[in-house]
Amino acid sequence: MASSSTVVCGVCESQHSTTTAEFWCPECDEGLCSKCLNFHNALKALRYHGVISTDNYKQLPPSIANISQFCSEHNRKFKNFCSHHESLCCPLCIQSNHEKCMGISSLEKVIETAKTSVLLESLDQNLKDIKMNVERVVKDRKQNLSEIKVQRQKSHDEIKQVRMKINEYLDSLEQRILRDLNAAEEKIKSQIEELLEKVALNTEKVDLLQTDMRAIREYASDLQAFLGSKMIETEIQTHEKFIQSLFEDASLHKMDINCKINDRFSDTMTSVISMGSVSVQSSPPLVVMQTGQAKQVQSSSVHRAPPSAINDFKLRLQTNIKYTGVTGCCVSSAGDIIIIHKQNNRLLILNEDGILMNCIPLSTRNPVDVTCIDDKKIAVSFPDSKQIQIINITTKNVERTIQTASQCYGVSCRDDHLTFCGTGTGLQSLKVSGKFTSTLVSCDNLSSWSYVATSEDKVYFTNSSHHTVTCCSLTGEKMWEYTDQSVCSPQGIALDKDSNVYIASNGNHSITVLSSDGKHAKSCLTKMTELIILLD
C-alpha cells in the first residue's frame, strides 16, 4: 500500500503553505487540496488528468505509487519507451543512451491499453491458478495427515492385539515399536506442517498481490499500471516457481506409515529381538498442479474400444523378423523398431520393414527390456547388475546409470517417468531426471521376467511365475487381474490405441489379447518362435 501518512498539497507547498491534500494527480505526481483542484481543472492542459482521491491513492502499493513521471537523471518527463532495453526514456535519454536503439515507441501509445492488456488478464489468471493450487495442496496435505493418523491407530491396535497373546517379557519391545511408530508419525507431521507454514506464507503474499492488482486496475495511472504489471509479473513467477517446486522436489509425495508385525512371535519368544518395524513409504502425489491449459487437456476423454469387439479382432502379418534371443522391444515415434538382442548383448534398430539400420553393442551384460524416452534416448534394464541405463542412440553413449534396489526386468516410460518391474518388490516409479524411486504397486511375489506397459491413466504388468496379468490405476489401486490357462508364463505386454492388452506367453509361445476391462480374451497367435510385427 502507499504511505498512510498525510499527503500535502504540492501547489500550496510550493508557495510555502502546508495544506492537507484531498486529491492526487498521478500525471502531475503531487497532491491537491480542494481549492487547488479547481484551478487545476480550469487549465485546459491539466483538466483531463486522471485525478483520484488521496484515500484511493493510499491503496496503491508503494512500489506502484513511487513510480515517477520524470527521469531521475535529466529531470525531464518520460516521453518514450525503448523495447530493446525495456526502459522509459526522456528526450535526453534517447540522445545519450538510446540513439542506436530500434523500436523506440511513444510512451503514450504504449500505455494507452495498459489496464485492458492481455498481460493483466494473464496475471489475474495466474494468481487465481496459484491460489487454486495452494488450496489443493493444503487439502491434500491435511488429508494425508488424517490418513496417517488412521494408519497409526490401525497399527497401534494391531500391536496391542499381538501384545495380549504374549507375556510381560515383551514389555520393552512393545515400547520400542510404539516409540518408532509415534516418531514416524511425528516426523511426517512436522514435515507437512512445515510445508503448510510455507504455503500459508506464500498465500498471504498472493493475497497481497491480488489486492495490489485490484488497486492498480482501479486507481493507478496508465504508466503505473504498465510498469506495475511488469513488477507483479516478476513476483508471480517467483510464486509459480514455488508451487512448481512442490511438485518436483517430492514435497507432495503421499506419506504412509506401515507397521509390519513379526510373524515369528507365535513360534518362539526367545529368538525374537524386535516386535516389528515401522517404515514410511513415499508415493507420487495424488494432487496434480493445474493451470488453464491443464484443465483444457483434462477435459478430453480417453477412447476405449467396446469389450465385445475383442471377438472381431483380426491380425495381419506385416513383417517377420528372424532373430533369436530377443527379450524386449519398443517402437520409436518415428516408427523404428528397437530390439534387445540379449543373446549377443546388443541393441538392434530396424526400420518398419524389418531392415537393420543400426547396431549398438552394450558394455553391460544381460540386457532384458527397452523403452523409448524420446527420439534420441532409450532406457534399457539390466536385472543381473540391478541397473537401468539411459542410452543416446545417436551417440551410442550411456548418459546415465540408475541403480535399482532389486532386479529390474520390464521397463516403460510415459510423461518423463520410468516404471519398472522390481523382483520381489513390485512396480517402481522414477522420474527420468530424478533421484528418488517410489513404489507404485507393492507386490512382494512379483517374479523375474515380468514386464510392464503404461497408458494415460493405467499401468499393466505381467507376473510370469504366477501366470497373471494385472491392471492398476496410476495411484496403485488394483482395477482387475486376469488369469487363465491361455496365459502361461506371461512376459511381454503391449497396448493399442483402444487400451486392449496384448500378452506374449513364454509358456505356450502364444499371443493373447485382453479387452481393456480384463473381462474378455482372445488367442491371436500360437506357437510363436520368431519376432513378428502384426497389425489389427
Side-chain angles (χ1 to χ4, degrees), residues 179-202:
R179 284 196 303 270
D180 291 345
L181 187 63
N182 291 329
E185 181 194 17
E186 198 61 35
K187 180 179 180 181
I188 301 174
K189 183 178 179 181
S190 63
Q191 291 174 348
I192 294 179
E193 289 177 343
E194 181 181 357
L195 174 60
L196 290 176
E197 289 178 2
K198 292 180 180 179
V199 170
L201 180 61
N202 185 270

Side-chain angles (χ1 to χ4, degrees), residues 94 216 313 351 366 389 410 431 451:
I94 296 178
I216 291 173
F313 266 42
N351 64 16
N366 297 324
Q389 292 182 2
K431 192 172 182 180
Y451 287 72

Side-chain angles (χ1 to χ4, degrees), residues 335-350:
D336 295 332
I337 305 167
I338 303 174
I339 296 174
I340 292 289
H341 196 202
K342 184 175 184 291
Q343 181 172 306
N344 291 340
N345 215 70
R346 59 180 180 171
L347 277 170
L348 303 178
I349 302 178
L350 303 85

Side-chain angles (χ1 to χ4, degrees), residues 15-34:
Q15 300 177 24
H16 310 292
S17 175
T18 302
T19 307
T20 301
E22 300 175 27
F23 303 92
W24 180 266
C25 177
E27 294 290 330
C28 299
D29 201 21
E30 64 180 1
L32 298 169
C33 64
S34 299

Side-chain angles (χ1 to χ4, degrees), residues 32-52:
L32 298 169
C33 64
S34 299
K35 183 178 178 180
C36 292
L37 176 64
N38 292 331
F39 292 113
H40 178 280
N41 291 341
L43 295 174
K44 185 176 181 180
L46 307 179
R47 67 180 57 159
Y48 296 110
H49 288 186
V51 177
I52 60 176

